[in-house]
Amino acid sequence: MKKTLLALAFALSSLMAIDFNTASKAELMKVKGIGPKKAEAIIQYRKTHKIKSINDLKNIKGFNSKTISKIKNQKSALKDKANAKKTALKNKKSKMKAKMNSKKEALKNKKAKLNAKKSQLKKMKKEKMQKLNSKKSAFKNKVKF
């Protein structure tokens, strides 16, 4: 599960964190819908223009509304997937925490029962010792001449 989350986070971060103004050709090609030609076109375009948003890619040959929409949807889908995984992990963590608290409570109860039993045994031992001591005293009194 952690590996999946890491892979998803990496994929998401690679798309979200990509700076179209500084990314290398290889980095640009990691974005779905951008191949070698489009990556090269971005590199050429940014020599004279600053890319402020994904919509600025419309000014580059080969990028149309459909391509831009695909890139945005990819980014959105990855974000949604990451949020779903994050929520699932939070839920799992909450369940594990509840389970641990339940086990702690069970152990506390068990400890309380053991302490009560220990106390009961001490009391019984004390009573038996008192009986033995009284029998011992009675025997000593009988044995005296």
Side-chain angles (χ1 to χ4, degrees):
M1 178 117 168
K2 287 182 182 179
K3 287 182 181 179
T4 306
L5 187 62
L6 280 173
L8 183 62
F10 177 73
L12 181 61
S13 66
S14 67
L15 179 64
M16 290 178 65
I18 192 165
D19 182 355
F20 286 97
N21 289 302
T22 59
S24 68
K25 185 175 180 178
E27 290 171 328
L28 290 169
M29 288 172 46
K30 287 181 184 176
V31 178
K32 197 173 187 177
I34 298 179
K37 287 183 181 179
K38 288 183 181 176
E40 194 57 49
I42 291 171
I43 292 169
Q44 291 303 315
Y45 177 82
R46 71 184 186 199
K47 286 180 180 177
T48 56
H49 301 85
K50 184 164 177 80
I51 301 171
K52 296 176 187 165
S53 75
I54 293 175
N55 290 328
D56 289 347
L57 297 177
K58 288 180 185 176
N59 301 325
I60 303 172
K61 185 180 176 186
F63 286 91
N64 54 30
S65 298
K66 191 176 178 181
T67 306
I68 308 262
S69 180
K70 282 182 185 178
I71 293 171
K72 285 181 181 178
N73 289 341
Q74 178 188 0
K75 182 177 179 180
S76 177
L78 286 171
K79 199 174 196 177
D80 291 345
K81 210 172 188 180
N83 286 336
K85 288 282 185 183
K86 189 176 179 181
T87 301
L89 284 174
K90 280 183 181 178
N91 291 339
K92 188 174 182 179
K93 183 179 177 182
S94 294
K95 286 179 184 178
M96 289 175 75
K97 200 171 189 178
K99 193 174 182 180
M100 288 303 295
N101 287 337
S102 174
K103 285 185 177 186
K104 279 183 183 178
E105 193 62 35
L107 285 172
K108 278 184 185 178
N109 291 338
K110 197 172 189 177
K111 186 177 179 180
K113 285 180 183 178
L114 287 172
N115 284 336
K117 188 84 166 176
K118 185 178 176 182
S119 179
Q120 187 181 15
L121 288 171
K122 278 185 178 180
K123 187 178 177 182
M124 287 172 60
K125 181 181 176 183
K126 187 177 181 181
E127 288 171 358
K128 283 192 178 194
M129 288 302 291
Q130 286 174 345
K131 281 184 183 179
L132 277 172
N133 286 335
S134 71
K135 282 184 180 181
K136 186 177 175 183
S137 291
F139 182 73
K140 278 185 180 180
N141 288 338
K142 267 188 180 179
V143 174
K144 281 187 180 179
F145 297 100

